[in-house]
Amino acid sequence: MKSYIGVGTGSAANAVSEATRGLQSPEAIIFIAPYDYMQEVARLLQEQYPQTPAIGTIGTKLVNGQVSDKNVSVLGLFSDAKVRCGIIENISECPVVAVKDIERKIAEVAPGKDNTVCIEFCTGEEEKLVTTFTSCLAKKGVRWPAELRSERRKENRPWWPIMGKYMRMPVLMPLSKIR
């Protein structure tokens, strides 16, 4: 899969300009920005790429061997990636309302068992999100990381290989390879 990764520093405008230098015609954008810059970065990316879905979160990131929570990182995905984005609103009250929309987007992507990545940024109610996604993904034979983690516990293999090391994985990571 063709991708682009960029990092920018300084003001929100400067960081977005640096991070997107060379990014042309992405199919989707995933970004991570400092809390104070989040709204401005989202607005700037929408202005620069008005036809491109962009989803982001705040937090510390590891990009090109550098760890920081003060820069903006941008991941661009291109036409060889089939991307659908969405928001599940009111997840604490009734996430089942979103199931039809999630199932429609999953059908549009036509996921395979070993070629699909599901990225989620959750601001709470993780259990309900996982349950909702699992009910939708299982119908297509796509496995969700929580299901895999449960199987690893049953097999007495609670450790996961991550970046060349074996680590315990007590919670879902935002970027997950679905198999």
Side-chain angles (χ1 to χ4, degrees), residues 7-177:
V7 179
T9 58
S11 68
N14 190 66
V16 169
S17 177
E18 280 183 27
T20 59
R21 190 173 297 128
L23 177 61
Q24 297 177 6
S25 305
E27 183 77 15
I29 294 173
I30 300 167
F31 67 95
I32 304 175
Y35 177 80
D36 294 342
Y37 289 3
M38 178 52 76
Q39 288 184 338
E40 182 71 3
V41 168
R43 184 186 66 74
L44 290 166
L45 288 170
Q46 183 63 42
E47 285 177 4
Q48 192 169 343
Y49 304 96
Q51 302 302 314
T52 303
I55 186 168
T57 191
I58 60 170
T60 303
K61 54 223 141 296
L62 170 64
V63 178
N64 298 329
Q66 300 285 323
V67 176
S68 177
D69 57 0
K70 298 184 187 318
N71 60 22
V72 172
S73 63
V74 173
L75 171 65
L77 303 175
F78 296 94
S79 61
D80 58 342
K82 194 164 191 179
V83 178
R84 296 296 180 269
C85 296
I87 298 171
I88 301 175
E89 297 184 82
N90 303 318
I91 194 163
S92 63
E93 296 167 13
C94 189
V96 74
V97 171
V99 167
K100 281 193 184 231
D101 187 49
I102 294 168
E103 288 177 338
R104 179 181 54 78
K105 289 176 181 176
I106 290 170
E108 289 171 358
V109 169
K113 292 184 180 187
D114 62 357
N115 66 354
T116 304
V117 176
C118 182
I119 300 169
E120 55 92 358
F121 299 121
C122 188
T123 59
E125 304 292 340
E126 186 84 18
E127 312 80 28
K128 292 179 182 179
L129 175 73
V130 170
T131 302
T132 303
F133 271 135
T134 299
S135 71
C136 297
L137 294 170
K139 295 174 186 175
K140 294 291 185 180
V142 177
R143 300 175 69 192
W144 184 243
E147 176 186 9
L148 296 172
R149 191 171 65 234
S150 175
E151 284 183 17
R152 290 182 75 88
R153 275 197 208 107
K154 288 177 194 170
E155 297 169 4
N156 199 23
R157 295 187 301 149
W159 296 84
W160 289 73
I162 301 172
M163 297 179 65
K165 299 177 184 176
Y166 279 91
M167 305 174 77
R168 284 195 180 271
M169 191 167 165
V171 297
L172 290 175
M173 303 296 288
L175 175 61
S176 303
K177 174 72 176 167

